[in-house]
Amino acid sequence: MAFTIWTKHLRHSPRNPKWMGRDRFILSGGHGSMLLYSLLHLTGYDLPLEQLQNFRQWDSITPGHPEYGLTPGVEVTTGPLGQGFATGVGMAITSSHLAATFNKPGHELIDSYIYAIVTDGDLMEGVASEAASLAGHLSLGRLIYLYDDNHISIDGSTDLAFTEDRAMRFESYGWHVQIVDDGNDVDAIDKAIKAAKTDLRPSIIMCRTIIGFGAPNRQGTSKAHGEPLGDEELNAAKDNLGWEKEPRFFIPDDVLAFYRKAVDCGRELEADWKMRREAYARLFPDLGVEFNRRILMGKLPEGWEAALPTFPADAKGMATRAASGKVINALAPKLPELLGGSADLAPSNNTKIDGTPAFQKDSYAGRNFHFGVREHAMGSILNGMAIFGGLIPYGATFLVFADYMRASIRLAALSHYPSIFIFTHDSVGLGEDGPTHQPVEHLTSLRLIPNLTVIRPADANETSQAWKVAIENRHGPTVLALTRQNLPTLESPALVEKGAYVLRDYGTPEVILMASGSEVSLVLEAAQKLADEGKGVRVVSFPSWELFEKQDEAYRESVLPKNIQKRLAVEAGATLGWERYAASVIGIDRFGASAPAKVIFERLGFTVENVVEQSKKL
Amino acid sequence: MAFTIWTKHLRHSPRNPKWMGRDRFILSGGHGSMLLYSLLHLTGYDLPLEQLQNFRQWDSITPGHPEYGLTPGVEVTTGPLGQGFATGVGMAITSSHLAATFNKPGHELIDSYIYAIVTDGDLMEGVASEAASLAGHLSLGRLIYLYDDNHISIDGSTDLAFTEDRAMRFESYGWHVQIVDDGNDVDAIDKAIKAAKTDLRPSIIMCRTIIGFGAPNRQGTSKAHGEPLGDEELNAAKDNLGWEKEPRFFIPDDVLAFYRKAVDCGRELEADWKMRREAYARLFPDLGVEFNRRILMGKLPEGWEAALPTFPADAKGMATRAASGKVINALAPKLPELLGGSADLAPSNNTKIDGTPAFQKDSYAGRNFHFGVREHAMGSILNGMAIFGGLIPYGATFLVFADYMRASIRLAALSHYPSIFIFTHDSVGLGEDGPTHQPVEHLTSLRLIPNLTVIRPADANETSQAWKVAIENRHGPTVLALTRQNLPTLESPALVEKGAYVLRDYGTPEVILMASGSEVSLVLEAAQKLADEGKGVRVVSFPSWELFEKQDEAYRESVLPKNIQKRLAVEAGATLGWERYAASVIGIDRFGASAPAKVIFERLGFTVENVVEQSKKL
């Protein structure tokens, strides 16, 4: 399968792994990483043999599972099963969208195929089912997945747990299904890939293979899955295949020469694409400029920030989810790369871009995306959109359902994918839907993920600034946690990019009240009350721990001076971790309740009276 | 659908909601909770009309989504989509297992059907796909799911995102698929349910329905999904259906009398079952006693703890996952209710019970369960097993993949399901597989979930005790976090149930070193070194925050005296939260790396030298 894809179909340029006109290849079963590293080395990527010999060692760029951004030519981080499968769907969506946006008849600059080798484990994972259903719905014909149907998983035969009719299942999703009886038959696979290219549906080619093929005593068994072959069996395999036993890493010159033709071939593909791009730019100068900006340079348009709305102070205010919807719609005309949607909660998440169609199979240029009730696939698809190039994707659901897509969020953070996750209904403040829908531990559990920026804005203006941070953060994912309920729009100028800032000082502060999101206006009220009693109070709005930790010592000291240790944090979520900043916390270390928001907040201590009381205790 | 199930098929006893012989009914689309509450009220459960009138109010037992344990007759917490679907599969597995274990020809004490009404949203969720594939594989004929095929989701028509051929998809899983063209046709549904009962496969009956049926201006639209009808449309609906407008909650006497027949009917079913149970106990006295203990009383056998193994001190020791495997096998003969397995990592998770077959469609009495690579379904299925009665289920994967099943874990905690989650490979100590497989933030993110007990044992003996806690914890889920790598078996007697305990004092402690799991032996070494230099050191083994927080103040003070604030915590995971107990933390606030475990630990500061140095700094 790999040989056929890499030597007969894949358009790529090993000396320029980021060449935008390339096809993408995904090894969804990332535990086979050495296959990918071998292909990259053989075809001339900057991955010397020493790196292969240094497999899975500290500081090597050949880790146990492929990592995006670490190894040239690795298109996506894989290992957690199903993720490669679903991320590829995001790439195919992006390819289709950019093609619909930029291509002109005779000028098909964007025509990437997304190839993947997928495994039994991938197909068993729910995230792949979700993504496959969506890919079929959207008729993503540029997806060509080869299924390594080897009948073996770690526990043993796939007959132990996986006997569904896979071909029928993919047909039910609307895929083009082909079967290759012998996964070592290059011609049959080649023919199937050619047929896949001409079919308008996504394609899966089910290739019957033998795991550990060539290792005479291990092939076809689960031992070939996770255990090293060992020297003896490796020798037996080499004997069996008529291969030299020494050196252990042996590449015949003619083999290397054959594979390395990919370098020149890639240069030619690039040169041809460049020529076509120049012709396109001459014929369609505006589109050419935009193509250059969005696709080749990946730059934001000059002065885009001017489109960020500001909101006048207003006691009634609005929900931050509503503010987010306004920001999206203010930015959308200036940032055509902004595309996104919701996991079937668009009216609740306020994600719709007005006046643009949905992304559907007959309208790939559409920018409103319907993920369906498929949070996990949404996460992985956003990741694929974020790394293909040319898009700034966002996806939304309720904060509590971040749990469904946590594996995708983590991979985005690990791999520095600039995905934007919008999570509304961010506390018990959502009210009557009750504890199954009320996040409690979620903010902190997301803050725990390294390289993930979590922002919980306090009002409409902080929401606008939070979007600015998210759009400018191109080296990792961003979470926006937004309210269902209305919040006052505050008077003070917001300063989200600092993570925390002094919202107001009442006299000379003896105590600091800090809060995020919906609790900021609560502590402001409490502070006013304390000030009325002659107390000195500082109110700190604290929308993001991660952004605050990035500030220098002097700034952090200016906001939270060491000499004021009487500090109370207020957040409608788990208290854990606020100890870093505060001496005392009003939070929620239990599940929520089904009741009107006002009642819940009162019962759980989120009242001006309680904040005042806890402050006085300090 | 509900009428047909509840008045023509469901065997239940409203005055004894926990009657073990009953069928189970699951409303998987929990947002329709009022349907379920209405049925419970009408059929005579202890749910007075006032509770329905107090819908979604503080202290009512009619929350926005049904909650297990709160409302009599609610069999499972639903709302997060797909969970009800998958949890029902766990119930059907349990029903099949108990039937295979206890039933004798002519004495079918266990023959529960699992009915559910499932929705578009359920079918779109990956967790349902995973569970459906497994249910088909296992031929769980006692599953009868009615699909509320109303063509509407929150975003609008299901045509926006969900156009797969659902019937074909379920056929591919090996389900029995029937279609009812009119979801209001009671006879057609009745006939389909009867056919489902005689089919050996799990059944899905696809019923074409109209959302908001009867509300003349809303039916068939997405507005009928999430928005209240409002008074005007409610009146229009009542007019349309020929119903009294006042009182707003109006139940005609004859209707109530009709439904309330369920009470007497239930008593008769119970009486008949009791008679059959007594006959069974006479004929099969040993089984009768066991049935009584396991199924009716849900009690552990007397003296079962004697089977818990202890391990002699041993410097080489063993991995805690290996110790866990030994505990499982030591307990399995004494606790026949212990049943579990792994999401295709059994050899790595050490979950296999030796000498017992796998649970398969031709061996439902088997106790080794193959979940396949389906972590999320595993979580929900365990929950279903845990609440059906008669089983103590466990399921395993790598700790990093707890992310895939987090929604199920949370529901278990919220609903007090006694599921046991075994997560091995619990740190960067798993080595070469690298950051995609190395948990970092996971321990703390699990500790954040209310009512979840997380235990990370330090050696084989703590592992044995952790299992004791897990098995005795029948009011919530337990997580066991276990190592891949070997750990010394320590000399000191373990005391896991206290959460934290003094493992050793060297002199009069000036400093406390605390650690969990694999880091305990590390801090012991460091303590010895400090003691050799004449320092007074206490070593605290800290396997579980939750268990420690349950201890009284005096005990906690005895372990962590307030007058010793020089405290260092060492754990191979995120540092956040350890501030509660320690002044300083050696932890990991970054992603891991692919390298041998020893190298990673050294590079990240998990060395005797660094622990000594950080202690001295304190």
Side-chain angles (χ1 to χ4, degrees):
Chain A
M1 295 183 289
F3 176 87
T4 313
I5 295 171
W6 280 69
T7 68
K8 295 180 184 294
H9 292 278
L10 192 72
R11 294 168 302 174
H12 61 137
S13 183
R15 294 299 152 89
N16 182 12
K18 293 287 177 192
W19 169 49
M20 192 63 196
R22 72 195 186 278
D23 296 324
R24 309 296 197 272
F25 175 79
I26 297 168
L27 186 71
S28 192
H31 47 284
S33 57
M34 186 46 85
L35 169 65
L36 179 54
Y37 299 144
S38 300
L39 290 162
L40 292 172
H41 172 71
L42 288 170
T43 56
Y45 284 77
D46 185 14
L47 190 69
L49 192 62
E50 296 73 49
Q51 284 291 343
L52 274 66
Q53 291 167 327
N54 214 17
F55 188 42
R56 312 202 307 173
Q57 299 305 309
W58 188 269
D59 268 349
S60 81
I61 57 171
T62 48
H65 296 82
E67 293 176 34
Y68 175 85
L70 184 71
T71 318
V74 169
E75 298 280 9
V76 51
T77 303
T78 52
L81 289 168
Q83 297 295 341
F85 187 114
T87 307
V89 172
M91 292 179 167
I93 288 163
T94 312
S95 181
S96 306
H97 176 74
L98 296 179
T101 307
F102 288 102
N103 286 357
K104 295 289 176 188
H107 297 270
E108 281 77 24
L109 290 181
I110 302 286
D111 64 349
S112 304
Y113 286 103
I114 317 298
Y115 296 100
I117 296 179
V118 304
T119 66
D120 292 299
D122 289 306
L123 297 199
M124 280 189 258
E125 291 284 5
V127 62
S129 296
E130 294 176 9
S133 176
L134 205 44
H137 168 75
L138 295 170
S139 201
L140 300 174
R142 298 205 153 258
L143 273 186
I144 301 177
Y145 283 4
L146 279 68
Y147 165 35
D148 179 16
D149 181 13
N150 64 30
H151 290 214
I152 291 294
S153 68
I154 292 179
D155 273 9
S157 163
T158 51
D159 286 347
L160 289 172
F162 189 47
T163 52
E164 61 177 42
D165 184 331
R166 281 144 264 186
M168 190 194 290
R169 178 177 142 209
F170 276 84
E171 274 163 23
S172 81
Y173 296 141
W175 285 53
H176 169 222
V177 179
Q178 300 178 79
I179 293 171
V180 170
D181 291 327
D182 175 5
N184 291 329
D185 183 341
V186 171
D187 288 339
I189 293 173
D190 181 43
K191 211 174 128 193
I193 293 176
K194 283 178 180 150
K197 284 179 170 175
T198 66
D199 198 284
L200 294 176
R201 297 166 293 174
S203 281
I204 188 163
I205 304 169
M206 304 178 58
C207 303
R208 179 69 179 93
T209 59
I210 295 167
I211 196 169
F213 180 79
N217 307 302
R218 293 286 181 83
Q219 67 178 30
T221 75
S222 62
K223 290 202 167 190
H225 191 295
E227 295 176 23
L229 287 183
D231 267 348
E232 194 178 330
E233 180 68 0
L234 184 55
N235 285 336
K238 289 194 173 199
D239 276 345
N240 186 35
L241 297 166
W243 204 251
E244 302 291 334
K245 278 185 203 155
E246 295 293 342
R248 293 312 246 182
F249 287 77
F250 171 61
I251 306 168
D253 291 341
D254 57 336
V255 168
L256 193 61
F258 171 78
Y259 276 102
R260 284 282 159 92
K261 282 189 286 187
V263 173
D264 284 340
C265 178
R267 285 200 184 107
E268 284 164 33
L269 286 168
E270 268 197 273
D272 172 65
W273 195 69
K274 185 158 178 276
M275 217 165 59
R276 290 193 286 128
R277 195 158 46 72
E278 286 164 356
Y280 173 87
R282 280 191 299 274
L283 278 165
F284 314 102
D286 291 352
L287 277 171
V289 168
E290 187 69 357
F291 190 93
N292 196 45
R293 177 187 74 76
R294 272 179 68 179
I295 316 275
L296 297 186
M297 303 172 66
K299 278 203 173 169
L300 294 167
E302 295 254 334
W304 72 275
E305 311 94 318
L308 283 163
T310 56
F311 300 86
D314 175 12
K316 185 172 169 270
M318 68 179 84
T320 48
R321 63 172 171 146
S324 172
K326 287 179 191 296
V327 176
I328 289 172
N329 277 286
L331 292 178
K334 300 275 160 126
L335 292 179
E337 54 265 58
L338 200 61
L339 179 153
S342 158
D344 193 43
L345 290 169
S348 295
N349 299 143
N350 297 67
T351 46
K352 189 163 180 276
I353 301 175
D354 296 329
T356 44
F359 181 100
Q360 292 290 359
K361 69 177 166 186
D362 50 4
S363 57
Y364 285 147
R367 291 163 63 191
N368 286 307
F369 203 92
H370 294 281
F371 292 96
V373 189
R374 302 182 182 101
E375 298 84 5
H376 198 171
M378 175 169 74
S380 308
I381 287 171
L382 287 174
N383 292 345
M385 291 174 167
I387 51 179
F388 187 93
L391 278 189
I392 298 179
Y394 61 88
T397 183
F398 292 160
L399 178 55
V400 78
F401 299 133
D403 283 353
Y404 273 73
M405 53 193 288
R406 193 169 166 91
S408 308
I409 299 170
R410 182 178 209 258
L411 266 187
L414 170 59
S415 312
H416 299 264
Y417 303 151
S419 309
I420 300 176
F421 303 111
I422 303 177
F423 295 133
T424 72
H425 295 58
D426 72 346
S427 77
V428 294
L430 64 86
E432 290 86 346
D433 269 351
T436 57
H437 283 55
Q438 290 167 342
V440 170
E441 71 280 18
H442 297 74
L443 284 168
T444 309
S445 81
L446 290 168
R447 290 172 181 144
L448 277 166
I449 300 178
N451 196 38
L452 175 63
T453 304
V454 180
I455 312 179
R456 186 168 185 247
D459 73 347
N461 287 312
E462 281 199 5
T463 305
S464 187
Q465 294 192 0
W467 265 104
K468 179 168 186 285
V469 171
I471 284 172
E472 289 178 341
N473 179 13
R474 295 292 91 199
H475 298 286
T478 308
V479 160
L480 305 183
L482 306 172
T483 65
R484 175 188 186 223
Q485 73 275 25
N486 281 355
L487 302 180
T489 305
L490 306 174
E491 277 182 31
S492 313
L495 204 58
V496 169
E497 63 184 13
K498 296 286 191 184
Y501 62 97
V502 179
L503 193 62
R504 210 166 301 169
D505 274 342
Y506 298 83
T508 305
E510 310 157 61
V511 63
I512 299 174
L513 306 185
M514 63 186 83
S516 80
S518 45
E519 285 66 67
V520 171
S521 42
L522 173 68
V523 300
L524 267 177
E525 265 194 81
Q528 183 65 58
K529 205 154 184 178
L530 287 162
D532 291 348
E533 298 179 21
K535 313 281 185 200
V537 187
R538 163 168 294 184
V539 173
V540 170
S541 178
F542 210 144
S544 172
W545 292 10
E546 298 81 12
L547 294 175
F548 186 63
E549 291 300 331
K550 279 186 186 155
Q551 307 310 312
D552 61 26
E553 172 63 27
Y555 178 78
R556 284 183 283 136
E557 171 69 17
S558 76
V559 177
L560 301 178
K562 288 199 184 60
N563 66 355
I564 312 180
Q565 288 297 327
K566 292 171 184 171
R567 303 173 183 176
L568 175 66
V570 184
E571 187 175 69
T575 57
L576 194 81
W578 277 108
E579 292 91 349
R580 291 207 170 163
Y581 305 110
S584 178
V585 193
I586 298 177
I588 305 175
D589 289 323
R590 49 160 280 182
F591 291 105
S594 175
K598 198 173 158 346
V599 177
I600 304 173
F601 277 131
E602 276 171 22
R603 299 289 181 129
L604 298 181
F606 290 82
T607 60
V608 172
E609 294 66 37
N610 193 38
V611 175
V612 166
E613 192 188 322
Q614 299 304 321
S615 305
K616 286 184 177 172
K617 273 194 190 160
L618 285 174
Chain B
M1 296 183 288
F3 176 87
T4 313
I5 296 171
W6 279 69
T7 67
K8 296 180 181 293
H9 292 279
L10 193 71
R11 294 170 300 175
H12 61 135
S13 184
R15 294 299 153 93
N16 182 11
K18 293 285 176 194
W19 168 49
M20 192 64 195
R22 73 194 186 280
D23 297 324
R24 308 297 196 272
F25 174 79
I26 298 167
L27 186 71
S28 192
H31 47 284
S33 57
M34 185 46 83
L35 169 67
L36 179 54
Y37 300 145
S38 301
L39 290 162
L40 293 171
H41 172 71
L42 288 169
T43 56
Y45 284 78
D46 185 13
L47 189 69
L49 192 61
E50 297 72 48
Q51 285 290 344
L52 275 64
Q53 291 167 326
N54 215 17
F55 188 41
R56 312 203 307 172
Q57 300 303 311
W58 188 269
D59 269 347
S60 81
I61 57 171
T62 47
H65 296 82
E67 293 176 33
Y68 175 85
L70 183 71
T71 318
V74 169
E75 298 280 9
V76 49
T77 303
T78 52
L81 289 168
Q83 297 295 339
F85 186 115
T87 308
V89 172
M91 292 179 169
I93 288 163
T94 312
S95 180
S96 306
H97 177 74
L98 296 179
T101 306
F102 287 102
N103 287 356
K104 296 286 175 192
H107 298 268
E108 281 77 25
L109 291 181
I110 302 287
D111 64 350
S112 305
Y113 286 103
I114 318 298
Y115 296 100
I117 297 180
V118 303
T119 65
D120 292 299
D122 290 306
L123 298 199
M124 280 190 259
E125 290 285 6
V127 63
S129 295
E130 293 174 11
S133 176
L134 205 45
H137 168 74
L138 296 170
S139 201
L140 300 174
R142 299 205 153 256
L143 274 186
I144 302 178
Y145 283 4
L146 278 67
Y147 165 35
D148 178 16
D149 181 14
N150 64 28
H151 290 213
I152 292 294
S153 68
I154 292 180
D155 274 9
S157 163
T158 51
D159 285 347
L160 288 171
F162 189 47
T163 52
E164 60 176 44
D165 184 330
R166 282 144 262 186
M168 190 194 290
R169 180 178 140 207
F170 276 85
E171 275 163 22
S172 80
Y173 296 141
W175 285 52
H176 169 221
V177 180
Q178 299 178 80
I179 294 172
V180 170
D181 291 327
D182 175 5
N184 290 328
D185 183 340
V186 170
D187 288 338
I189 293 173
D190 181 43
K191 209 173 128 192
I193 292 176
K194 282 178 179 148
K197 283 179 170 172
T198 65
D199 199 286
L200 294 175
R201 296 166 294 175
S203 281
I204 188 163
I205 304 170
M206 304 177 58
C207 303
R208 179 69 179 94
T209 59
I210 295 168
I211 195 168
F213 180 78
N217 307 301
R218 293 288 181 84
Q219 68 178 30
T221 74
S222 61
K223 290 200 169 190
H225 191 295
E227 295 175 23
L229 286 183
D231 267 349
E232 194 180 330
E233 179 68 0
L234 185 54
N235 285 336
K238 289 193 173 198
D239 277 345
N240 186 35
L241 297 166
W243 205 251
E244 302 292 334
K245 280 185 199 153
E246 295 294 342
R248 292 312 246 181
F249 288 78
F250 171 61
I251 305 169
D253 291 340
D254 57 337
V255 169
L256 193 61
F258 172 79
Y259 275 102
R260 281 284 156 91
K261 284 190 284 186
V263 172
D264 284 339
C265 179
R267 285 201 184 105
E268 283 164 33
L269 286 168
E270 268 198 274
D272 173 65
W273 195 69
K274 185 158 178 275
M275 217 166 60
R276 292 193 287 128
R277 197 157 45 71
E278 286 164 357
Y280 174 87
R282 280 192 300 275
L283 277 165
F284 313 101
D286 291 350
L287 277 172
V289 169
E290 187 69 357
F291 190 93
N292 197 45
R293 178 187 75 76
R294 271 180 69 179
I295 315 275
L296 297 187
M297 305 174 63
K299 278 202 172 171
L300 294 167
E302 295 254 334
W304 72 276
E305 312 94 319
L308 283 162
T310 55
F311 300 87
D314 175 11
K316 184 171 168 268
M318 68 180 83
T320 48
R321 63 173 171 146
S324 172
K326 287 179 191 296
V327 175
I328 288 172
N329 277 287
L331 291 179
K334 299 277 159 122
L335 291 179
E337 54 265 57
L338 200 61
L339 178 154
S342 159
D344 193 43
L345 290 169
S348 296
N349 299 144
N350 297 68
T351 46
K352 189 164 181 278
I353 300 175
D354 296 329
T356 42
F359 181 100
Q360 293 289 0
K361 68 177 166 185
D362 51 5
S363 57
Y364 285 145
R367 292 163 64 193
N368 286 306
F369 203 93
H370 293 282
F371 291 96
V373 189
R374 302 182 183 99
E375 297 84 5
H376 198 171
M378 175 169 73
S380 308
I381 286 171
L382 287 174
N383 291 345
M385 292 175 169
I387 52 180
F388 188 93
L391 279 188
I392 298 180
Y394 61 88
T397 183
F398 292 160
L399 178 55
V400 77
F401 300 133
D403 283 352
Y404 273 72
M405 51 192 290
R406 192 167 166 92
S408 308
I409 299 169
R410 184 178 208 258
L411 266 186
L414 170 60
S415 312
H416 300 264
Y417 303 152
S419 309
I420 301 176
F421 303 110
I422 303 177
F423 296 132
T424 72
H425 295 58
D426 73 346
S427 77
V428 294
L430 64 87
E432 290 86 347
D433 269 351
T436 57
H437 284 54
Q438 290 166 344
V440 171
E441 71 280 19
H442 298 75
L443 284 169
T444 309
S445 81
L446 290 167
R447 289 172 183 146
L448 277 166
I449 299 177
N451 195 38
L452 175 64
T453 303
V454 180
I455 312 179
R456 186 170 185 244
D459 73 349
N461 287 312
E462 281 199 6
T463 305
S464 187
Q465 294 192 359
W467 264 103
K468 178 167 187 287
V469 172
I471 283 171
E472 288 178 344
N473 179 13
R474 297 291 90 200
H475 297 287
T478 307
V479 160
L480 306 183
L482 306 172
T483 65
R484 175 189 185 220
Q485 72 274 26
N486 281 356
L487 302 179
T489 306
L490 306 173
E491 276 181 33
S492 313
L495 203 57
V496 167
E497 64 185 12
K498 295 286 189 185
Y501 62 98
V502 178
L503 192 64
R504 208 165 304 169
D505 273 341
Y506 299 83
T508 304
E510 310 156 61
V511 62
I512 299 176
L513 305 186
M514 61 186 84
S516 80
S518 45
E519 286 65 67
V520 172
S521 42
L522 173 67
V523 300
L524 267 177
E525 265 193 82
Q528 184 63 58
K529 205 154 183 179
L530 286 162
D532 291 348
E533 299 180 18
K535 314 281 184 201
V537 186
R538 164 169 292 186
V539 173
V540 170
S541 179
F542 210 143
S544 173
W545 292 10
E546 298 81 13
L547 295 174
F548 185 62
E549 291 300 329
K550 279 187 186 154
Q551 306 310 313
D552 60 26
E553 172 63 28
Y555 179 78
R556 283 183 284 136
E557 171 69 17
S558 77
V559 177
L560 301 177
K562 287 198 185 62
N563 66 356
I564 311 179
Q565 288 297 326
K566 292 172 184 170
R567 303 174 182 175
L568 175 67
V570 184
E571 186 174 70
T575 57
L576 195 82
W578 277 107
E579 292 91 349
R580 290 208 169 159
Y581 304 110
S584 177
V585 194
I586 297 176
I588 305 175
D589 290 321
R590 48 160 283 181
F591 290 105
S594 175
K598 197 173 158 345
V599 177
I600 303 174
F601 277 131
E602 275 171 21
R603 298 291 180 128
L604 298 182
F606 290 82
T607 60
V608 172
E609 294 66 36
N610 193 37
V611 175
V612 167
E613 192 187 322
Q614 299 304 320
S615 305
K616 287 185 178 173
K617 273 193 190 162
L618 286 173

